[in-house]
Amino acid sequence: MPEPRSPNTLLLGADHLWRIRRDQLRFYADMRARHGDRVRLRLGPYRSWLLFRPDDVERVLVASAASFIRFRKLTEVIAQWNGDSLIVAEGQRWRDRRRKVQPAFRTQRVRDYAATAASHAERLCTRFERAGRPEGVTVDTDAVMARLTLDIATGTLFGAEPLANGDEVERAIQVLSDTAFHESTAPFVMPDWLPLPSKARKRRAMALMDHVVGDLVRRRIIDEPGDRGDLLSMLVEQHGGEHIPVRDDAMSLLIAGHETSGALLSWLFLALVQYPAWRARVIGEVAAFGDRPPGVDDVAALPLLRAVIAEVLRLWPPAYSLFLRQATEDVDLGDTMIRGGDLVQIVPFTLHRDPRWFDEPNSFDPDRFLRPPSWPAHAYLPFGSGPRVCIGQNFALVEACVVAATILQRWEPVAVPAVPEPDPKFSLRPRGGLPMTWRRVEISRA
């Protein structure tokens, strides 16, 4: 077999790890441009692959999915606070876990979750109105969307009102997200008992999340049994009322779900600021609902908004890089052999911007999603693919549609002082926040 192209490295790939920690999006694009579709790297003790061809992606995620597991170093980091959850489990344990969680995303439950999402979006609009001035209201939209999706997750997952300490919980989640990124990309990790500020922040964040989620789960199991129409009821039923597995899955769904949903809404509203013609078209589309908040059944009547969301997911996918995989056995890619123990990295951010698959890939063009796809399968995968595709992807899309439509009935984003760079940590967020001015929507509803 011909040797794949492999970049020169220093100190067992320490230079690559430094570049990944410093600017991984540029690193992936540079590797693709310099070394082609299959790039072999040395990362410490591991041989690692970057794969940029859709057929290779399909082979890893679908056809040979059983031959890969999620990289243990990363799952061990996440397991510190997520426990043995759906995100961490492998093999039969993962299949059993997925089977138990899947009913929580059935159609009727998603309908109820969407109603909860719309209600919280309406509350946000009311807060804007109370704080607004004639020229509008200026807020850090990334922080606002993170808190909004946390409130939605609290309602849909736990059937609870927004947490009184929600801002503190949101900061704790950000600490754990940053911790996951830094510990999983570090050549070695300092022990947690060291008296370092970063370790103290991590310990406080883990303790707070364990207290908040554990208390809600314990209360449901002991004091409020029965189906209350939320995700937690389904988890309690499927796990037979066992506290630890319910707590672990609730923790992972709360952190992962709200973080990526908040990021998607932030990039969506930034795109609507940058492309006012599309903003006007979408506002005209949602105006058809009058003052009635849209629900699940209305999503099909929002083709423009759905296309904008799909294009946002192409250009700024919150899951910009999929979980690192590790081969458990040799996998033949035709003229390249992935050996057992090798790591494989798949990067939607880079795939989605490849001119071979998308015309004018760096241009914002939602019209491409109003036509039949011209790109190959597995060139577009904002939620992953295969058996481990995001379990909540359908609700995530419904939530984004319903929340955006509800807000755009009353408020529109109109200005940002500067366009932020993407910040690739555990999810893709605007670096430094997203200051944005909003103003009341003025539109005829004749």
Side-chain angles (χ1 to χ4, degrees):
M1 294 183 183
E3 279 293 307
R5 299 183 67 179
S6 179
N8 295 326
T9 186
L10 300 173
L11 299 175
L12 294 176
D15 53 336
H16 295 329
L17 284 172
W18 181 81
R19 288 190 63 192
I20 289 171
R21 289 167 66 88
R22 186 170 180 267
D23 191 349
Q24 60 179 307
L25 298 181
R26 183 170 297 177
F27 173 76
Y28 296 139
D30 183 57
M31 290 296 104
R32 163 68 189 88
R34 290 172 177 266
H35 305 289
D37 287 330
R38 295 171 179 170
V39 185
R40 189 180 67 191
L41 302 174
R42 169 59 62 179
L43 296 177
Y46 301 101
R47 191 169 77 156
S48 182
W49 298 86
L50 291 169
L51 301 180
F52 297 108
R53 276 173 42 179
D55 54 341
D56 287 344
V57 171
E58 189 275 338
R59 183 64 184 272
V60 171
L61 298 183
V62 182
S64 298
S67 299
F68 292 90
I69 60 172
R70 294 184 171 189
F71 183 35
R72 285 194 178 93
K73 180 178 179 180
L74 177 55
T75 57
E76 286 170 359
V77 170
I78 296 172
Q80 294 176 91
W81 50 86
N82 276 357
D84 187 29
S85 66
L86 179 66
I87 291 178
V88 171
E90 291 290 348
Q92 188 60 46
R93 288 190 303 110
W94 168 77
R95 286 186 286 274
D96 291 342
R97 207 82 180 214
R98 181 133 181 153
R99 175 180 54 80
K100 290 179 177 180
V101 175
Q102 190 70 58
F105 294 96
R106 287 174 179 159
T107 301
Q108 182 53 50
R109 291 191 175 263
V110 171
R111 185 182 305 277
D112 295 338
Y113 304 156
T116 299
S119 173
H120 284 287
E122 286 189 297
R123 295 186 194 185
L124 175 62
C125 290
T126 300
R127 291 197 295 272
F128 276 6
E129 286 158 11
R130 290 172 180 167
R133 299 173 179 173
E135 65 274 17
V137 58
T138 299
V139 296
D140 180 348
T141 294
D142 187 52
V144 168
M145 293 304 130
R147 179 59 196 267
L148 172 62
T149 53
L150 175 62
D151 292 345
I152 292 170
T154 303
T156 57
L157 181 55
F158 301 112
E161 286 297 306
L163 299 168
N165 60 343
D167 289 341
E168 187 180 2
V169 169
E170 172 58 28
R171 287 193 294 272
I173 291 173
Q174 289 306 308
V175 168
L176 296 181
S177 296
D178 289 345
T179 298
F181 175 75
H182 287 294
E183 290 192 1
S184 63
T185 57
F188 61 90
V189 178
M190 305 293 284
D192 284 349
W193 51 260
L194 287 175
L196 300 173
S198 61
K199 296 298 184 180
R201 287 193 296 271
K202 174 185 173 181
R203 291 192 295 268
R204 287 194 298 268
M206 289 178 60
L208 175 63
M209 294 305 299
D210 187 57
H211 171 74
V212 169
V213 176
D215 186 59
L216 288 166
V217 169
R218 193 175 301 107
R219 190 186 313 160
R220 175 61 55 84
I221 292 173
I222 297 173
D223 300 331
E224 303 170 352
D227 190 352
R228 297 171 61 86
D230 52 28
L231 262 164
L232 186 55
S233 297
M234 185 62 67
L235 293 178
V236 171
E237 176 187 345
Q238 293 296 319
H239 287 301
E242 295 184 47
H243 175 83
I244 291 177
V246 174
R247 177 262 182 212
D248 290 350
D249 279 336
M251 182 75 78
S252 63
L253 291 170
L254 175 66
I255 293 177
H258 110 272
E259 166 119 353
T260 52
S261 294
L264 170 56
L265 289 169
S266 293
W267 292 118
L268 168 62
F269 290 125
L270 176 61
L272 293 180
V273 171
Q274 291 182 277
Y275 303 96
W278 275 101
R279 182 173 78 236
R281 292 178 67 183
V282 170
I283 288 174
E285 184 176 70
V286 303
F289 298 110
D291 295 323
R292 175 180 65 82
V296 169
D297 294 333
D298 299 310
V299 171
L302 295 168
L304 297 178
L305 177 56
R306 286 188 286 114
V308 168
I309 290 172
E311 181 72 339
V312 168
L313 284 169
R314 186 185 70 82
L315 286 170
W316 303 283
Y320 64 94
S321 178
L322 302 187
F323 266 86
L324 195 63
R325 262 67 172 180
Q326 186 167 26
T328 57
E329 59 186 357
D330 292 353
V331 176
D332 187 357
L333 296 185
D335 57 359
T336 299
M337 183 69 72
I338 305 293
R339 297 175 184 167
D342 285 0
L343 307 182
V344 173
Q345 186 73 63
I346 294 168
V347 187
F349 187 92
T350 306
L351 277 166
H352 293 180
R353 293 170 179 257
D354 193 316
R356 294 173 298 174
W357 324 131
F358 297 95
D359 294 333
E360 299 185 32
N362 294 313
S363 297
F364 183 78
D365 181 18
D367 276 323
R368 73 177 86 236
F369 288 96
L370 296 173
R371 302 185 294 265
S374 60
W375 51 89
H378 297 93
Y380 178 73
L381 58 162
F383 296 98
S385 185
R388 299 205 70 148
V389 67
C390 174
I391 195 171
Q393 66 169 325
N394 291 333
F395 172 59
L397 291 171
V398 167
E399 178 188 26
C401 271
V402 168
V403 168
T406 301
I407 293 173
L408 292 170
Q409 286 176 318
R410 294 159 64 177
W411 288 85
E412 62 176 320
V414 294
V416 291
V419 177
E421 291 293 320
D423 190 11
K425 294 294 180 62
F426 200 67
S427 62
L428 193 68
R429 303 286 289 271
R431 179 173 284 121
L434 184 57
M436 180 179 290
T437 299
W438 296 73
R439 70 183 179 201
R440 288 297 304 266
V441 170
E442 300 294 337
I443 191 167
S444 172
R445 301 191 183 279

